[in-house]
Amino acid sequence: MTDTTGLPHWLDGKRWDGDGTRTSPVFNPATGAVTAEVHLASAADVDTIVASSRAAFTEWRRASLTTRVNVLFAFRELMHAHREDIARIITAQHGKVFSDALGEVGRGLEVVEFACGIPHQLKGGHSEQVSTDVDVHSVRQPVGVMAGITPFNFPAMVPLWMFPVAIACGNAFILKPSERDPGASLLMAELWAEAGLPDGVFNIVQGDKEAVDALLTHPGVDGVSFVGSTPIARYVYETGAQAGKRVQALGGAKNHMIVLPDADLDAAADAAVSAGYGSAGERCMAISVLVAVEPVADALIDKIRTRIADLTITDGMTPGADMGPLVTAMHRDRVAGYVQRGVDEGATLLVDGRDVTVSADGREGGFFLGPCLFDHVTTAMDIYRDEIFGPVLSVVRATSYDDAVRLVNENAYGNGVALFTRDGGAARRFEFEIEAGMVGINVPIPVPMAYYSFGGWNDSLFGDTHVHGPEGVHFYTRGKVVTTRWADPVTRGPDLGFPTHT
């Protein structure tokens, strides 16, 4: 359905080139070859797209809930029918293995299904006779034109966290996907059009910082949702808020997994490998720090090393692939630089993925980096403090449960955390004491279902609202309270045309 050789914007239900003066290459990470050129919007292009969205919002907000839900159900069916097409585009431009890409689409579809129930989510409250002949009711109404600025690591799922809910609530939505892998966004736009969404309700602006800044400061944009690194999340939040916009900005993470001495070590090792190296570690919920509460560290590390040796690292479309390449050569080299920094800082590099090679079928130029495993990592090291966003797992040894919890709570981030144990009392205490927005008990990647909301604490979130679920509905709507008084016809008599009661 989508020709990915040229990737333009999406305006009023069709592709649009904009001024077309600037483009950026899109790579196949498995080969290193340029496969497309994405257009980069100018500020004037953003003006045009925002004007379209504002005009569309005026009509779409008046659409009945039944009309909106019918479009959403049609979009859901089309997304399901074309989920493999979307997944293939993701693998071709991001590099993650095909099964991961399919899973990403599936998790995004859950939010579409949640949005299909928007009539229930938008029900207000009513209080009768708060005073004599006075009633009060509340409603939630759409905010206006909302923008989403999304990262490269989930080119379908993260946008799907945002725009189904925003559109279901009656807003118009402008998506600014990552310029590294924007192909999936255009296919989803085509599916919206086929589902019957009016032109302009969903637009796409491709671009880089120039487009982001234009959206953040544009007077026609009412709110912005963002997912990305913490420094950029802080910038987005401060810039958008200063411009008077509603902003939710989800930042980076340094997700910990604590393993207590009573844990099932085989299950913990399986979880550490899948959560640490899945999607080449390019997940905001990836486990990057394994906190082993002694005396389990040595035994657990041995099990992890055994599992790493069995991983198949190759092109994500190859059957049986466990891990694909990183998204760009620059990012691969950045991650490899952190591996060397860890060695220089004194950590013990047990598994060095920098030596991995994938030579079959012209993959010699691919952006591959194998799993890396460090032991004896301390909280003073850069590999512990910084979000690396690659296949690097650091083992920190803790002396007790209290030591492990203190270590996690002192970290600047508070996105996700997991505990592996057989002790229900320890798990209950952990749930209460840990300072993070998403907690897993014997679950390494505790991403909430669509009817809950996703988001972290501390430097992992700027703003006070998480994405999708009830908080997503709250973000994309504004509350209004209406107080009414109507004269009682019994007491007013025939002057209003009502019968007189005696």
Side-chain angles (χ1 to χ4, degrees):
M1 295 178 65
T2 301
D3 175 11
T4 57
T5 57
L7 299 170
H9 317 289
W10 185 266
L11 175 67
D12 289 334
K14 58 183 177 297
R15 292 175 167 221
W16 180 62
D17 289 338
D19 69 20
T21 57
R22 294 191 306 131
T23 63
S24 180
V26 175
F27 296 90
N28 180 341
T31 65
V34 175
T35 58
E37 293 286 336
V38 60
H39 294 221
L40 301 178
S42 65
D45 291 335
V46 174
D47 285 341
T48 300
I49 288 174
V50 172
S52 162
S53 299
R54 289 229 68 87
F57 166 66
T58 301
E59 296 302 319
W60 180 244
R61 68 164 300 187
R62 298 178 181 275
S64 69
L65 289 174
T66 301
T67 297
R68 295 184 212 165
V69 168
N70 285 339
V71 173
L72 279 158
F73 270 113
F75 178 69
R76 187 266 174 200
E77 293 304 305
L78 289 165
M79 282 286 298
H80 183 76
H82 291 282
R83 63 193 183 281
E84 292 190 0
D85 299 324
I86 299 170
R88 275 189 284 270
I89 293 173
I90 293 170
T91 297
Q93 294 183 354
H94 173 274
K96 67 179 63 176
V97 300
F98 183 66
S99 58
D100 275 355
L102 272 176
E104 168 181 347
V105 178
R107 292 307 304 264
L109 267 168
E110 292 171 5
V111 181
V112 180
E113 292 161 358
F114 169 80
C116 287
I118 200 64
H120 177 73
Q121 299 295 329
L122 290 181
K123 289 192 300 186
H126 180 83
S127 296
E128 184 182 53
Q129 199 72 0
V130 299
S131 186
T132 304
D133 297 333
V134 177
D135 303 329
V136 177
H137 70 273
S138 64
V139 296
R140 299 206 65 85
Q141 296 182 336
V143 177
V145 175
M146 309 300 283
I149 302 167
T150 57
F152 73 85
N153 59 322
F154 286 100
M157 186 183 74
V158 173
L160 285 164
W161 284 354
M162 301 173 184
F163 62 69
V165 180
I167 290 171
C169 289
N171 301 279
F173 194 89
I174 301 171
L175 174 63
K176 207 302 287 182
S178 170
E179 63 273 26
R180 297 179 185 178
D181 48 7
S185 65
L186 283 170
L187 179 47
M188 290 190 291
E190 292 175 4
L191 299 181
W192 270 125
E194 188 174 346
L197 188 69
D199 293 349
V201 175
F202 179 73
N203 287 326
I204 297 174
V205 54
Q206 311 283 10
D208 51 10
K209 187 176 186 297
E210 182 174 348
V212 170
D213 287 343
L215 290 170
L216 291 176
T217 58
H218 200 291
V221 175
D222 299 296
V224 177
S225 299
F226 173 85
V227 176
S229 69
T230 286
I232 305 303
R234 181 182 287 110
Y235 172 81
V236 166
Y237 179 75
E238 292 176 351
T239 305
Q242 189 173 23
K245 303 187 189 313
R246 178 175 292 195
V247 183
Q248 57 178 183
L250 279 67
K254 199 70 179 180
N255 304 310
H256 294 64
M257 176 177 144
I258 298 174
V259 180
L260 296 185
D262 71 315
D264 181 332
L265 294 191
D266 286 314
D270 288 341
V273 171
S274 62
Y277 303 121
S279 195
E282 294 173 325
R283 293 172 175 160
C284 58
M285 289 295 288
I287 293 297
S288 56
V289 179
L290 178 63
V291 183
V293 179
E294 295 293 24
V296 302
D298 289 338
L300 182 58
I301 288 170
D302 286 344
K303 292 177 181 294
I304 291 172
R305 293 180 72 174
T306 298
R307 286 158 172 78
I308 289 174
D310 291 336
L311 295 178
T312 299
I313 303 161
T314 187
D315 186 333
M317 288 304 298
T318 301
D322 295 305
M323 194 178 101
L326 276 71
V327 68
T328 64
M330 182 180 297
H331 185 58
R332 176 201 58 198
D333 295 344
R334 174 184 176 275
V335 175
Y338 268 104
V339 176
Q340 185 58 48
R341 197 179 308 177
V343 173
D344 295 341
E345 289 177 325
T348 303
L349 183 58
L350 300 176
V351 179
D352 189 350
R354 293 173 295 179
D355 298 330
V356 70
T357 57
V358 178
S359 57
D361 300 324
R363 268 53 180 180
E364 297 86 354
F367 310 138
F368 292 96
L369 178 70
C372 301
L373 178 65
F374 279 103
D375 190 12
H376 303 294
V377 175
T378 72
T379 59
M381 296 177 179
D382 288 343
I383 59 170
Y384 175 81
R385 293 196 303 257
D386 296 350
E387 183 182 33
I388 299 173
F389 222 63
V392 180
L393 181 61
S394 297
V395 178
V396 178
R397 296 174 181 240
T399 59
S400 65
Y401 166 89
D402 290 331
D403 184 34
V405 170
R406 176 194 54 77
L407 183 147
V408 174
N409 285 347
E410 288 179 354
N411 190 268
Y413 300 102
N415 195 52
V417 63
L419 176 72
F420 275 70
T421 182
R422 290 187 175 99
D423 188 330
R428 187 176 186 275
R429 179 180 169 190
F430 180 78
E431 177 184 339
F432 179 79
E433 294 178 340
I434 206 67
E435 296 177 10
M438 293 168 286
V439 179
I441 306 298
N442 298 318
V443 175
I445 302 181
V447 176
M449 299 299 290
Y451 35 85
Y452 287 87
S453 298
F454 179 104
W457 289 10
N458 305 331
D459 284 356
S460 294
L461 177 70
F462 297 86
D464 59 358
T465 308
H466 294 168
V467 293
H468 67 63
E471 292 189 50
V473 174
H474 184 85
F475 182 77
Y476 291 120
T477 57
R478 294 186 292 183
K480 180 182 289 185
V481 179
V482 182
T483 304
T484 62
R485 170 180 284 158
W486 296 104
D488 185 346
V490 174
T491 62
R492 290 292 299 273
D495 58 315
L496 293 180
F498 295 111
T500 300
H501 292 257
T502 58

